[in-house]
Amino acid sequence: MNEQGLGADELRKLGLVRWKSGELELAILSFESALVLEPDNALIWEDLCGVQLASNNSERALASIGRSIAVDEQRPQSWLMLATVLDRMKDQDLAASAYRKTIVLDETIASAHFGLGIIHLRSGKPAQALQCLQQAVLHDPKNAIAHLCLGHACYATGDFAGTAKSFDAAIEFGPLDPDSALVRLKAMTFQAIIEGKLEEALANYSRLADPGDGPVDISQEAFALLNVHGYRDAARLVGQFRLRHHPNDVVQRYMNSAVAGEQLPTAPVDYVETHFDRLAPSFDRKLTESLQYRAPEIMAQMIALHRGGFDRILDLGCGTGLAAKPLSRFGGIAIGVDLSGSMLLQAEERRFYSELRKAEAVQFLATRPVSFDLIFAADVLVYVGDLSAFFSAVADAIVKDGILALSIETTAAANFELRPSGRFAHSVTYVETLASDHFEKLESTTATLRLEMRHPIEGAFMIFRKR
Ligand SMILES: C[S@@+](CC[C@H](N)C(=O)[O-])C[C@H]1O[C@@H](n2cnc3c(N)ncnc32)[C@H](O)[C@@H]1O
């Protein structure tokens, strides 16, 4: 069609027709011609952006939508388009800001809530995603994908009833994909357990999860998830059920005590050994990636502020040897001690430790009087409740002026407490008081130790010098 003699509005309409019929290049030409006539028409810049995006030209689309917003920054659709372009360009932070701006201008735009919710889901913030996706389905109840994503956000935040409800809403539009169907089944199982129908729920799951492949036991996952989401009564029931069926499971026995709120003096040796033997293959990836654990690096940096080198280092509860790299800056020889043989096998592969010992920390310390000028205890005292024996053993094993570096999970409770997670938390005052018999404090700082179900676990790093 000849474009000569057409006005901006007609050119725009022509562009829209061409876009609709898939003639993207011609549509771009029509919009560009319209903009020659009306360079300050925000709507046409927005159209041009849309068709450029459809032709996978994100850079040009970004420039066009920038022009649209420069002309009129009050158009929510332009901000939504900007967010979409930025999302496509994988600039999550700026895309999130543009979605937020869209919502400020018009809170009924469901796709802005949806886009923001997806960004939160992708970046591991299910609680924020949940809020956005609830708004998305409120303003557009016909968006099946929004219901589906809301179901996943509910599951990640431990709202099992909400999970089932959202997936049921999605099913109205078509069958669920296999992953979502399984999540729905789990959520219904966990919700039934919360409502007191434990055995029936486990049996139903076993029957429905994978009928071709024999019975499926979901009880371990149920215990962990119900516990971590704070459904303590339900977790306690599952824990008791599991122990009845696996009476020799030392991990379950200890975890049942922790969930029941029993206050033990320390974690039993057989628990620590079995738990970490099981965890060893996935430990490094899990801690450093999903749990964002950086205690060894932070502690080594704190030590370096006071001392540049050591002759004999003891890495207590060395685990897989995540501290090997940060400790290597200090020179000297290093000994690693741990209760878990599987963790030690991985530590060996780092070729850093001159000696690796499978032993209980306090018992090992008693065998090495006045032997170390650095004792390093990263994320191990969380498995020792009463620290009196630990401090006197460390005091005997360390040389005068030697450094003790440790991390703890902190609590406002007096002294220490065993948490439902199975880890102990200590009060800073308790640790400092015990340490003060033999050590002077050089430094202490509170910080996030790691994440647990994406929530920060608060702790402290402390550096002491032996008097
Ligand atoms: C959370 S991991 C930390 C490992 C390592 N320190 C790190 O920062 O990556 C705790 C380690 O302490 C060990 N552990 C716990 N209690 C212990 C004890 N009483 N004696 C020796 N090792 C212990 C466990 O076997 C496990 O490997």
Side-chain angles (χ1 to χ4, degrees):
M1 183 185 281
N2 187 354
E3 297 186 3
Q4 277 185 358
L6 296 182
D9 195 39
E10 289 158 315
L11 284 167
R12 174 177 180 251
K13 281 186 187 139
L14 179 59
L16 290 175
V17 171
R18 285 170 160 173
W19 183 1
K20 204 168 171 196
S21 61
E23 297 170 297
L24 302 184
E25 287 307 317
L26 289 176
I28 288 174
L29 283 177
S30 301
F31 292 136
E32 284 175 346
S33 305
L35 284 164
V36 171
L37 301 175
E38 281 190 24
D40 284 343
N41 190 322
L43 192 60
I44 306 178
W45 279 115
E46 194 182 295
D47 293 333
L48 178 59
C49 166
V51 76
Q52 285 166 331
L53 199 59
S55 12
N56 289 325
N57 196 335
S58 303
E59 296 289 342
R60 291 210 160 179
L62 185 64
S64 299
I65 202 62
R67 290 290 299 269
S68 174
I69 290 173
V71 172
D72 180 358
E73 59 175 22
Q74 295 304 314
R75 285 182 47 75
Q77 290 300 340
S78 299
W79 286 96
L80 181 61
M81 188 69 89
L82 174 63
T84 312
V85 176
L86 290 165
D87 218 346
R88 182 83 71 85
M89 296 172 86
K90 308 229 176 313
D91 194 333
Q92 304 267 304
D93 291 345
L94 283 180
S97 307
Y99 281 129
R100 283 195 197 94
K101 177 76 180 177
T102 312
I103 294 166
V104 168
L105 293 171
D106 182 351
E107 63 172 12
T108 67
I109 298 185
S111 43
H113 293 288
F114 178 69
L116 190 54
I118 297 300
I119 289 183
H120 286 317
L121 263 190
R122 267 195 234 123
S123 46
K125 296 179 186 156
Q128 287 98 318
L130 186 73
Q131 287 181 356
C132 299
L133 293 166
Q134 280 167 338
Q135 289 298 312
V137 300
L138 179 75
H139 295 296
D140 181 7
K142 292 206 162 64
N143 184 343
I145 307 284
H147 287 291
L148 197 70
C149 294
L150 178 58
H152 283 284
C154 285
Y155 188 75
T157 53
D159 175 1
F160 301 123
T163 309
K165 196 168 149 223
S166 300
F167 283 144
D168 287 349
I171 289 173
E172 300 280 313
F173 302 91
L176 295 180
D177 61 279
D179 279 356
S180 303
L182 188 62
V183 171
R184 174 173 173 268
L185 180 58
K186 285 183 182 177
M188 287 165 63
T189 305
F190 300 157
Q191 184 59 31
I193 295 173
I194 292 166
E195 290 165 10
K197 295 170 238 164
L198 171 69
E199 307 227 359
E200 183 189 334
L202 294 178
N204 276 344
Y205 183 89
S206 177
R207 193 167 44 81
L208 295 171
D210 194 355
D213 216 17
V216 187
D217 182 9
I218 187 78
S219 65
Q220 189 169 9
E221 191 173 338
F223 175 79
L225 275 190
L226 291 166
N227 186 23
V228 86
H229 287 299
Y231 298 105
R232 302 275 180 253
D233 290 342
R236 202 158 47 225
L237 287 179
V238 181
Q240 288 162 357
F241 170 90
R242 282 184 52 74
L243 203 55
R244 279 200 302 280
H245 289 79
H246 310 275
N248 299 323
D249 187 336
V250 290
V251 171
Q252 193 63 58
R253 185 174 299 280
Y254 173 70
M255 287 306 296
N256 284 6
S257 300
V259 171
E262 286 174 33
Q263 288 306 317
L264 307 178
T266 198
V269 163
D270 56 2
Y271 159 74
V272 174
E273 191 177 348
T274 314
H275 176 59
F276 282 98
D277 278 353
R278 285 180 190 167
L279 221 60
S282 59
F283 183 84
D284 286 8
R285 195 173 30 82
K286 189 169 171 216
L287 252 79
T288 53
E289 287 173 18
S290 42
L291 306 191
Q292 295 176 15
Y293 173 71
R294 287 194 58 246
E297 286 88 348
I298 297 170
M299 286 163 59
Q301 277 163 13
M302 287 171 73
I303 295 167
L305 296 176
H306 300 276
R307 226 136 109 219
F310 295 93
D311 293 328
R312 289 182 65 83
I313 299 172
L314 174 61
D315 186 2
L316 264 188
C318 62
T320 59
L322 282 178
K325 199 162 168 223
L327 286 177
S328 61
R329 68 193 287 172
F330 297 120
I333 61 159
I335 298 179
V337 170
D338 203 285
L339 273 169
S340 157
S342 304
M343 297 288 272
L344 286 168
L345 277 178
Q346 302 214 22
E348 205 172 340
E349 284 175 19
R350 295 188 196 264
R351 314 235 171 281
F352 167 70
Y353 300 95
S354 58
E355 184 182 344
L356 283 166
R357 281 302 178 101
K358 183 173 177 335
E360 197 286 320
V362 174
Q363 286 176 10
F364 176 82
L365 287 164
T367 65
R368 305 283 172 115
V370 205
S371 299
F372 303 102
D373 52 0
L374 172 62
I375 296 186
F376 191 85
D379 210 29
V380 58
L381 299 184
V382 290
Y383 297 99
V384 186
D386 183 338
L387 294 180
S388 10
F390 168 80
F391 270 105
S392 32
V394 168
D396 289 345
I398 204 164
V399 299
K400 184 173 179 314
D401 291 329
I403 299 288
L404 166 66
L406 57 87
S407 71
I408 52 166
E409 252 181 58
T410 45
T411 173
N415 301 339
F416 63 89
E417 63 173 355
L418 173 56
R419 292 182 157 168
S421 62
R423 289 189 298 272
F424 287 88
H426 300 88
S427 83
V428 170
T429 315
Y430 172 70
V431 175
E432 287 182 353
T433 308
L434 282 178
S436 66
D437 286 344
H438 311 278
F439 296 90
E440 66 170 310
K441 188 176 87 179
L442 293 181
E443 206 176 328
S444 117
T445 179
T446 52
T448 296
L449 276 187
R450 68 167 165 270
L451 303 181
E452 187 166 290
M453 286 311 277
R454 302 179 187 91
H455 291 295
I457 298 293
E458 296 311 322
F461 301 109
M462 297 168 143
I463 313 288
F464 299 98
R465 180 163 51 210
K466 173 85 189 296
R467 273 200 298 274

